[in-house]
Amino acid sequence: MVRLTRAQTQERTRSGVLAAARAEFAAHGYGDAKIDGIAARAGLTRGAIYANFTGKRALYLSVLAADAERAARRSGAGAAQVRSPREALAAIARARLSGRALTGAELPAEVLDDDRVRTAHAQLLTLEAVVLGLALERLGRRGRGTRVAASALTLLAGADGLATSAPGFADPFDVVAACELLAGLPPDRGGPRPYLRHVAPARPVDEPWPGAPAPRDGIVHVLGLHRLEAAEESVRSAPAGADVTVALVAGRPDDLEPLARLVLARLDGTLRQAIPEPARPPLRLLLGPAAADLAAAAGVTEPADDTEAAVRVEAGRLVARADGRGAGYAVVAGAVTRAVARPA
């Protein structure tokens, strides 16, 4: 008989708990599902459930996240014919409407009955709009695309809610057509946020990357789940071709990380189905252990929901550090300033 390692045993237990939770939520919905019912289905004690998950919200979001991740991996490359912002918006709408049962687009109000969770959810949606907006720009959208993407996500969220509360009311073909029309919104120049003029310069350093392997040359932006809107600052400030990696962290990841997994999986599936590869923004989003490792390398040893720090990497070495609001902008602006000041 093969003996399982401790890690394998823990993973098997978590998988069993998630399977039991999925059945409990399917039978009773979020509001009426009980931890005791999940424990009974899993053949475990209530304490064993809490040893693996912080509570019912974390369990529910973990189930949705796992389903969304599977759906994203199964997503076909259906974006080859998308060549314009209008076509992309229609493809985004079709992808979201066809995948609503798997992506958990509409979350029960009880799941979002905590200010900390609501703030993180809003910031995750903002990050989603930033990524999709950048894709629209790469497909020819004039001006900033974030507002258009956010409007499309708002329309689709409303349609998703009505699909549950008033089945048959909204025609999905009309919803797709409405999203297409958002391509005609006036250009939004969206200049840099005023506070960036007052951001302290980054600290020049010359240090080896702590650990291996070093990331590609570019910017590593560490952001708490309440500060994700700042990702747009590093992406837009970075020079052409620079790699931008955003590490998502939280003060208590056990209850917010499943929500982030859900939104990022939904975004991944949408990009695969609606945005051709050349139009996808050069932005990597990391969560979990990989994000924690990058955060530690950037000097963030105790992440918080409002964490903001950034480093710039060149030839495998750290050349600039910054923290606080505008950190992503600071490490780019500082590097550009040094490059300009360097004698010819």
Side-chain angles (χ1 to χ4, degrees), residues 87-106:
E87 291 175 353
L89 286 165
I92 289 169
R94 286 193 293 268
R96 299 297 276 262
L97 292 172
S98 64
R100 67 172 302 276
L102 295 173
T103 60
E106 185 196 21

Side-chain angles (χ1 to χ4, degrees), residues 87-315:
E87 291 175 353
L89 286 165
I92 289 169
R94 286 193 293 268
R96 299 297 276 262
L97 292 172
S98 64
R100 67 172 302 276
L102 295 173
T103 60
E106 185 196 21
L107 293 173
E110 305 99 308
V111 176
L112 302 173
D113 63 357
D114 178 88
D115 285 343
R116 181 169 175 262
V117 177
R118 278 196 297 271
T119 300
H121 189 223
Q123 286 293 301
L124 285 161
L125 293 180
T126 299
L127 179 62
E128 195 173 15
V130 166
V131 173
L132 293 176
L134 290 167
L136 294 178
E137 293 170 31
R138 292 165 71 87
L139 285 166
R141 165 72 188 178
R142 290 170 45 226
R144 189 166 162 269
T146 305
R147 183 167 65 107
V148 175
S151 298
L153 293 178
T154 301
L155 192 159
L156 290 166
D160 183 75
L162 284 173
T164 300
S165 62
F169 173 74
D171 186 322
F173 295 101
D174 289 342
V175 174
V176 171
C179 284
E180 282 186 286
L181 294 176
L182 293 173
L185 284 177
D188 173 16
R189 299 303 172 189
R193 292 180 173 89
Y195 68 75
L196 291 180
R197 294 195 295 267
H198 309 289
V199 168
R203 302 182 299 280
V205 297
D206 184 13
E207 305 169 5
W209 180 261
R216 295 191 292 264
D217 287 3
I219 299 95
V220 174
H221 202 172
V222 182
L223 292 172
L225 292 182
H226 287 183
R227 283 293 298 146
L228 297 181
E229 63 187 353
E232 190 168 10
E233 296 167 10
S234 54
V235 176
R236 292 196 182 280
S237 302
D243 187 70
V244 179
T245 300
V246 176
L248 284 67
V249 298
R252 299 194 307 277
D254 289 348
D255 56 345
L256 290 187
E257 192 170 296
L259 176 62
R261 283 177 53 209
L262 169 61
V263 176
L264 293 186
R266 187 174 63 199
L267 173 60
D268 181 36
T270 302
L271 289 171
R272 290 172 187 246
Q273 295 178 71
I275 306 298
E277 185 70 40
R280 296 174 195 171
L283 172 66
R284 291 191 304 153
L285 303 174
L286 296 182
L287 184 68
D293 289 345
L294 278 185
V300 179
T301 56
E302 296 184 6
D305 294 340
D306 60 354
T307 287
E308 185 168 350
V311 295
R312 178 150 180 152
V313 182
E314 292 180 3

